[in-house]
Amino acid sequence: MANGIERPLDLLNQSKGKEILVQLKSDRQLVGTLVAFDIHINVVLDNAKEIQNNELKRNIGLTFLRGDTIVFISPASAVSNK
Amino acid sequence: MANGIERPLDLLNQSKGKEILVQLKSDRQLVGTLVAFDIHINVVLDNAKEIQNNELKRNIGLTFLRGDTIVFISPASAVSNK
Amino acid sequence: MANGIERPLDLLNQSKGKEILVQLKSDRQLVGTLVAFDIHINVVLDNAKEIQNNELKRNIGLTFLRGDTIVFISPASAVSNK
Amino acid sequence: MANGIERPLDLLNQSKGKEILVQLKSDRQLVGTLVAFDIHINVVLDNAKEIQNNELKRNIGLTFLRGDTIVFISPASAVSNK
Amino acid sequence: MANGIERPLDLLNQSKGKEILVQLKSDRQLVGTLVAFDIHINVVLDNAKEIQNNELKRNIGLTFLRGDTIVFISPASAVSNK
Amino acid sequence: MANGIERPLDLLNQSKGKEILVQLKSDRQLVGTLVAFDIHINVVLDNAKEIQNNELKRNIGLTFLRGDTIVFISPASAVSNK
Amino acid sequence: MANGIERPLDLLNQSKGKEILVQLKSDRQLVGTLVAFDIHINVVLDNAKEIQNNELKRNIGLTFLRGDTIVFISPASAVSNK
């Protein structure tokens, strides 16, 4: 699963077009399809959903997310959360 | 909807002149028309409204917003909030 | 109202000599006449007033404000607050 | 009073040798004579007094103050506080 | 055990392919196999598990972790935690 | 006392070999003899004492202090604290 | 004891191979043998122990510590803590 990942950003590159879970510094989590990212880990998600305490809080659609609020990004968790 | 977005800032470019929702690090949210932005994600909104706990707190009109207080920017959410 | 604003700092340039409202990261707000600013969004206000919970806390006159404590700057709000 | 201020640091230059009030990010305030500053807004005050809740907490004399803890600097407030 | 470590990043290099414990600024801990890291200490873990109060909170699989949320990384602790 | 101080770091240069009080962002204070500093305001103190609520908490001897935790440095206060 | 220290990092250089106490921004303390450090004050400790409220919390062995979580580093305190 970790094949071909030499630098951390390689994982984000492999995850384009796939659902990812993004854990923010506050207790917010976002789930959505990774559309784009840059070296600051700014991210665009499509069909993004905001989740708090394991419950859907709201649908926020196509969303730009600033990198400095992100703790971790987990592609597999988005799948297992469905 | 995510057509033509290769880098995160492309979404902001597509959103100029449209209503966006801006989630800040505190629980503040601003809704307004995106007028301009820069690489620091400093943003100018027109007809901006400050929202707390899903209620309109105040109209703040044409407003300059510093990028480092922003968590995410969602163009679709502004529409669905109306 | 948003005429001629191509970059966020254009709004600050248009607001020189006018009253602005500055929302800080704490719950402090300052209202005053914009005298000068720089790219760090350091700001000088004249006749600045500190406001907490919609009440005048104190007059602080000509004041230098560090940019990294600022959330947003709203020229229109200063007028409507009078 | 705002004469000759084109950039924010001009106000600090005009205030050398005068008493200023420095509001810090915590609720601390310092009052003292501005001796020197640099572009990081690091500041040296002479005869500095630390004030909390409008009461003198202690005299700290000649003091070096790191810029990133400063919210605002107000020369006029130091005078009116006497 | 500390053989061959001249710079801090040498320890991370030696730990590739091994289980590590990552302590985050919040009380979160992650345990997983170190796949990749960069100079910002951004990290990719495989088979990552999130742990709170010494209990498994969830499996998050292959995970990208932003460096600025990390307090320390301990390869030995991951082993002793099993 | 403020003679010869043109830039903030000049005060630290004059204070080498003297006792200084260092106020940290938490309520911690350190008192000790200034041995060395750099442009990040990283500091080495000798015979450092940690003080909380005006009471000696512990002697920590020769100590390296990271600049970004410092609020202010006051040479005179260390003397008057004796 | 402060002989030969002209810049703050000289103290860390002298402390290689010795036990040091590292105070973190949270109330965590680590004690361990200094193996390596860099200009960001990232540090590798060997035989590191995590201490909270003066009690051993856990042994974490060879550990990479990110510099921006460090308040101070005291070589002497590690000795006196034994």
Side-chain angles (χ1 to χ4, degrees):
Chain A
M1 209 171 173
N3 284 346
I5 298 177
E6 304 209 343
R7 292 157 306 173
L9 294 189
D10 292 341
L11 174 57
L12 300 187
N13 248 323
Q14 290 184 5
S15 303
K16 278 191 181 174
K18 298 182 185 163
E19 275 226 306
I20 62 172
L21 177 143
V22 183
Q23 175 69 51
L24 304 185
K25 283 182 185 170
S26 65
D27 273 328
R28 280 196 188 89
Q29 297 180 19
L30 298 185
V31 176
T33 306
L34 179 60
V35 174
F37 68 91
D38 62 24
I39 54 165
H40 307 292
I41 325 295
N42 294 323
V43 161
V44 170
L45 297 181
D46 200 6
N47 296 317
K49 294 166 191 58
E50 193 180 347
I51 294 173
Q52 253 175 345
N53 303 322
N54 291 317
E55 290 183 27
L56 176 65
K57 198 178 154 195
R58 54 178 169 170
N59 289 290
I60 55 174
L62 193 62
T63 297
F64 172 94
L65 191 53
R66 279 189 86 241
D68 83 335
T69 67
I70 295 175
V71 178
F72 62 75
I73 296 177
S74 166
S77 296
V79 176
S80 64
N81 261 12
K82 282 190 175 176
Chain B
M1 210 171 172
N3 283 346
I5 298 177
E6 304 208 343
R7 292 157 306 174
L9 295 189
D10 292 342
L11 174 56
L12 300 187
N13 248 323
Q14 291 184 4
S15 303
K16 277 191 181 175
K18 298 182 185 164
E19 276 228 304
I20 62 173
L21 177 142
V22 183
Q23 175 69 52
L24 304 185
K25 282 182 185 169
S26 65
D27 273 327
R28 279 197 189 89
Q29 297 181 16
L30 298 185
V31 176
T33 306
L34 180 59
V35 174
F37 68 91
D38 62 23
I39 55 164
H40 307 292
I41 324 296
N42 293 324
V43 161
V44 170
L45 298 180
D46 200 5
N47 295 317
K49 294 166 192 58
E50 192 180 347
I51 294 172
Q52 253 175 344
N53 302 322
N54 292 317
E55 291 183 26
L56 176 66
K57 196 178 155 196
R58 54 179 169 170
N59 288 291
I60 55 174
L62 193 62
T63 297
F64 172 95
L65 191 53
R66 279 190 84 241
D68 83 334
T69 68
I70 295 175
V71 178
F72 62 75
I73 296 177
S74 166
S77 297
V79 175
S80 64
N81 261 11
K82 283 190 174 178
Chain C
M1 210 171 172
N3 283 347
I5 297 178
E6 304 208 342
R7 293 157 305 174
L9 295 189
D10 292 343
L11 174 56
L12 300 187
N13 249 322
Q14 291 184 5
S15 303
K16 277 191 181 174
K18 298 180 186 165
E19 275 227 306
I20 62 172
L21 177 143
V22 183
Q23 175 68 52
L24 304 185
K25 282 182 185 170
S26 65
D27 273 327
R28 278 196 190 90
Q29 298 180 18
L30 298 185
V31 176
T33 306
L34 180 59
V35 174
F37 68 91
D38 62 24
I39 54 165
H40 309 290
I41 323 297
N42 294 323
V43 161
V44 170
L45 297 181
D46 200 6
N47 296 317
K49 294 166 191 57
E50 192 180 348
I51 293 173
Q52 255 175 342
N53 302 322
N54 291 318
E55 289 183 27
L56 176 66
K57 197 178 155 197
R58 53 179 169 171
N59 288 290
I60 55 175
L62 193 62
T63 297
F64 173 95
L65 192 53
R66 280 191 84 241
D68 83 335
T69 68
I70 295 175
V71 178
F72 63 75
I73 295 177
S74 165
S77 296
V79 175
S80 65
N81 260 11
K82 284 190 174 177
Chain D
M1 210 170 172
N3 284 346
I5 297 177
E6 303 209 343
R7 293 158 305 175
L9 295 190
D10 293 342
L11 174 56
L12 300 187
N13 248 322
Q14 291 184 5
S15 303
K16 278 192 181 173
K18 298 181 185 164
E19 277 228 304
I20 61 172
L21 177 144
V22 183
Q23 175 69 52
L24 304 185
K25 283 181 185 170
S26 64
D27 273 328
R28 278 196 190 91
Q29 297 180 17
L30 297 185
V31 176
T33 306
L34 179 60
V35 174
F37 68 91
D38 62 24
I39 54 164
H40 308 291
I41 323 296
N42 293 323
V43 161
V44 170
L45 297 181
D46 200 6
N47 296 317
K49 294 166 191 58
E50 192 179 348
I51 293 173
Q52 255 176 341
N53 302 322
N54 291 316
E55 289 183 26
L56 177 66
K57 196 177 155 196
R58 54 179 169 172
N59 288 291
I60 55 175
L62 194 61
T63 297
F64 173 95
L65 191 53
R66 279 191 85 243
D68 83 336
T69 68
I70 294 175
V71 178
F72 63 75
I73 296 177
S74 165
S77 295
V79 175
S80 65
N81 261 11
K82 283 191 174 175
Chain E
M1 209 170 173
N3 283 346
I5 297 177
E6 303 208 343
R7 292 157 306 173
L9 295 189
D10 292 342
L11 174 56
L12 300 187
N13 248 322
Q14 291 184 4
S15 303
K16 278 191 180 174
K18 299 183 184 162
E19 276 226 306
I20 62 172
L21 177 143
V22 183
Q23 174 69 51
L24 304 185
K25 282 182 185 170
S26 64
D27 273 329
R28 280 195 188 89
Q29 297 180 18
L30 298 184
V31 176
T33 305
L34 179 60
V35 174
F37 68 91
D38 62 23
I39 54 165
H40 307 292
I41 324 295
N42 293 323
V43 161
V44 170
L45 297 181
D46 200 6
N47 296 317
K49 294 166 191 61
E50 192 180 347
I51 293 173
Q52 254 175 343
N53 302 322
N54 291 316
E55 290 183 27
L56 176 65
K57 198 179 153 194
R58 54 178 169 171
N59 289 290
I60 55 175
L62 194 61
T63 298
F64 172 94
L65 191 53
R66 279 190 84 241
D68 83 334
T69 67
I70 295 175
V71 178
F72 62 75
I73 296 177
S74 166
S77 295
V79 176
S80 65
N81 260 12
K82 282 190 175 176
Chain F
M1 211 171 173
N3 283 346
I5 298 177
E6 304 208 344
R7 293 158 306 175
L9 295 189
D10 293 341
L11 174 56
L12 300 187
N13 248 322
Q14 291 184 5
S15 302
K16 277 191 181 172
K18 298 182 186 164
E19 277 227 305
I20 61 172
L21 177 144
V22 183
Q23 175 69 52
L24 304 184
K25 282 181 184 170
S26 65
D27 273 329
R28 278 196 189 90
Q29 296 180 18
L30 298 185
V31 176
T33 305
L34 179 60
V35 174
F37 68 91
D38 62 24
I39 54 164
H40 308 291
I41 323 295
N42 294 322
V43 160
V44 170
L45 297 181
D46 200 6
N47 296 316
K49 295 166 191 59
E50 192 181 348
I51 293 173
Q52 253 176 342
N53 302 322
N54 292 317
E55 289 182 27
L56 177 66
K57 196 178 156 195
R58 54 178 169 172
N59 288 290
I60 54 175
L62 194 62
T63 297
F64 173 94
L65 191 53
R66 279 190 85 243
D68 83 335
T69 68
I70 295 175
V71 178
F72 62 76
I73 296 177
S74 166
S77 296
V79 175
S80 64
N81 261 11
K82 282 193 174 175
Chain G
M1 209 169 173
N3 283 347
I5 298 177
E6 304 208 342
R7 292 158 306 173
L9 295 189
D10 292 342
L11 174 56
L12 300 187
N13 249 322
Q14 291 184 5
S15 303
K16 278 191 181 174
K18 299 183 185 163
E19 276 227 305
I20 61 173
L21 177 144
V22 183
Q23 174 69 52
L24 304 185
K25 282 181 184 171
S26 65
D27 273 328
R28 278 195 189 89
Q29 297 179 17
L30 298 185
V31 176
T33 305
L34 179 60
V35 174
F37 68 91
D38 62 23
I39 54 164
H40 308 291
I41 324 296
N42 294 323
V43 160
V44 170
L45 297 182
D46 200 6
N47 296 317
K49 295 166 191 60
E50 193 180 347
I51 294 173
Q52 254 175 343
N53 302 321
N54 292 316
E55 290 183 27
L56 177 65
K57 197 179 155 194
R58 54 178 169 172
N59 288 290
I60 55 175
L62 194 62
T63 298
F64 172 95
L65 190 55
R66 279 190 85 242
D68 83 335
T69 67
I70 295 175
V71 177
F72 62 76
I73 296 177
S74 166
S77 296
V79 175
S80 65
N81 261 12
K82 282 192 175 176

